[in-house]
Amino acid sequence: MTGRLQDTVALVTGASSGIGEATARSLAAQGAAVAVLGRRRDRLEDLADKVRADGGTAFVVVADITDQRQAAAAVESVVAELGRLDTLVNNAGFMGVGPALDSPLEEWQRMLDVNVQGLLYTTHAALPHLLSAAEDSPRRVADLVNISSTAGRVARPGTAVYNLTKFGVNGFTEALRQEVMQKHLRVSVVEPGTVATELSSHLRDGIRQAIETQIQDIELLHPEDIADAVSYIVTRDRRVAVNEILVRASEQAW
């Protein structure tokens, strides 16, 4: 399989479904060897089989990135197996919504663990390898893409802690971008709007129904729409850095 990412290696977290799965397949279609990371081995193995059937290279990594040791070991296993790391897509996420007064603290903690700590753990482990790839790869550039949300720029009632995590991701992305841009490591953020994924499937019953009512008249984005944005970012020539892409459903106001 040939493409703009030929001879590169990409790691996608939260790859067992939705945006992560679509992104892994999109990067593989561009020629990258893809490491797919998540907690559900069966889903990851199925994804890897699809990538291989299409002529690509895939490596399955089962890990919980909210555990720092597992996150670091996962990154190191990718480099050991595939030889390098040129692209990291921090996609794993957890969304809990509802009035702050009635929200269980466990839900808040889970959002902090996955959306913030997990992203930090994988980023910290990957940075040396990404910087190395930017120096010695034929493309002479590497990419770190964080998947945020419209909730990283628009605060709304019922999403306070989710907003906290996604605003934080946006701020972290921009500060890190400025730190490493002279070394040709591009750091970008993609902010999806309403996407047809499993992200809302775990919401409490009453809240899930309210969300479904809220978006029932919107034609939802597909995971492939966000994967397209990620692929666009990482396939640009090294002289081009796409710092941020906001992708809303065409009928979405927030």
Side-chain angles (χ1 to χ4, degrees):
M1 183 176 292
T2 60
R4 292 189 177 188
L5 300 180
Q6 188 67 32
D7 300 322
T8 70
V9 173
L11 169 60
V12 181
T13 72
S16 58
S17 66
I19 293 170
E21 178 181 0
T23 297
R25 298 192 70 175
S26 180
L27 298 182
Q30 287 288 343
V34 293
V36 292
L37 188 156
R39 295 179 300 159
R40 295 177 286 185
R41 179 178 292 277
D42 57 338
R43 294 279 195 95
L44 296 173
E45 293 288 0
D46 182 58
L47 170 57
D49 287 344
K50 291 176 182 176
V51 169
R52 293 168 188 142
D54 290 337
T57 299
F59 175 56
V60 169
V61 186
V62 179
D64 180 353
I65 62 168
T66 67
D67 181 308
Q68 188 272 330
R69 291 184 180 181
Q70 288 190 48
V75 171
E76 295 307 318
S77 72
V78 171
V79 176
E81 177 70 19
L82 300 176
R84 57 188 302 110
L85 182 60
D86 302 85
T87 304
L88 170 64
V89 181
N90 280 315
N91 166 73
F94 177 80
M95 181 179 69
V97 300
L101 181 62
D102 299 323
S103 294
L105 279 175
E106 293 80 6
E107 192 172 85
W108 289 5
Q109 188 62 55
R110 182 65 180 164
M111 282 187 277
L112 292 169
D113 288 345
V114 177
N115 301 351
V116 179
Q117 291 290 76
L119 181 146
L120 294 179
Y121 292 153
T122 53
T123 298
H124 186 268
L127 274 174
H129 301 293
L130 293 170
L131 290 168
S132 176
E135 287 184 1
D136 67 16
S137 69
R139 299 180 72 232
R140 296 173 57 223
V141 69
D143 285 282
L144 195 167
V145 182
N146 292 327
I147 305 301
S148 181
S149 168
T150 53
R153 57 166 59 213
V154 179
R156 307 182 75 224
T159 61
V161 179
Y162 191 60
N163 287 137
L164 168 69
T165 65
K166 294 303 185 178
F167 270 78
V169 167
N170 287 7
F172 173 73
T173 302
E174 173 58 17
L176 183 60
R177 181 191 72 81
Q178 294 181 36
E179 286 187 28
V180 298
M181 62 184 184
Q182 296 298 333
K183 299 177 181 179
H184 292 285
L185 171 55
R186 301 181 296 204
V187 184
S188 309
V189 65
V190 177
E191 299 154 314
T194 51
V195 185
T197 71
E198 297 177 4
L199 192 63
S200 62
S201 63
H202 58 270
L203 294 176
R204 286 167 280 151
D205 288 342
I207 292 171
R208 184 173 62 254
Q209 292 160 1
I211 294 294
E212 290 172 353
T213 298
Q214 182 185 53
I215 64 175
Q216 65 183 356
D217 295 326
I218 296 175
E219 184 177 1
L220 303 183
L221 296 167
H222 295 176
E224 291 76 14
D225 298 323
I226 310 307
D228 285 347
V230 176
S231 291
Y232 179 81
I233 288 171
V234 304
T235 54
R236 298 307 90 198
D237 186 271
R238 73 190 294 267
R239 72 181 182 277
V240 180
V242 181
N243 304 148
E244 179 180 18
I245 295 183
L246 169 64
V247 187
R248 284 190 175 103
S250 60
E251 299 150 321
Q252 181 178 342
W254 63 91

